[in-house]
């Protein structure tokens, strides 16, 4: 029983880490696009 609970907890943590990485990646892409846009305009 305890093995199953720890398994679901680790899976949930991995999903949270993946979503956090995705959010960081999205922010990074937005920043890069913003910088590219500034250079394109200037």
């Amino acid at each position: 029983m305890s093995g199953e609970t720890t398994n679901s907890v680790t899976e949930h943590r991995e999903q949270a880490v993946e979503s956090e990485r995705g959010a960081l990646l999205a922010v990074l892409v937005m920043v890069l696009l913003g910088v590219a846009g500034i250079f394109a305009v200037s």
Side-chain angles (χ1 to χ4, degrees):
M1 280 295 229
S2 62
E4 286 177 17
T5 19
T6 51
N7 212 357
S8 64
V9 167
T10 47
E11 277 179 22
H12 188 70
R13 275 189 193 158
E14 282 174 13
Q15 283 178 353
V17 168
E18 280 179 19
S19 64
E20 201 175 321
R21 275 187 196 155
L24 282 171
L25 194 75
V27 170
L28 195 75
V29 168
M30 281 163 130
V31 169
L32 285 172
L33 284 174
V35 170
I38 289 169
F39 275 112
V41 168
S42 61

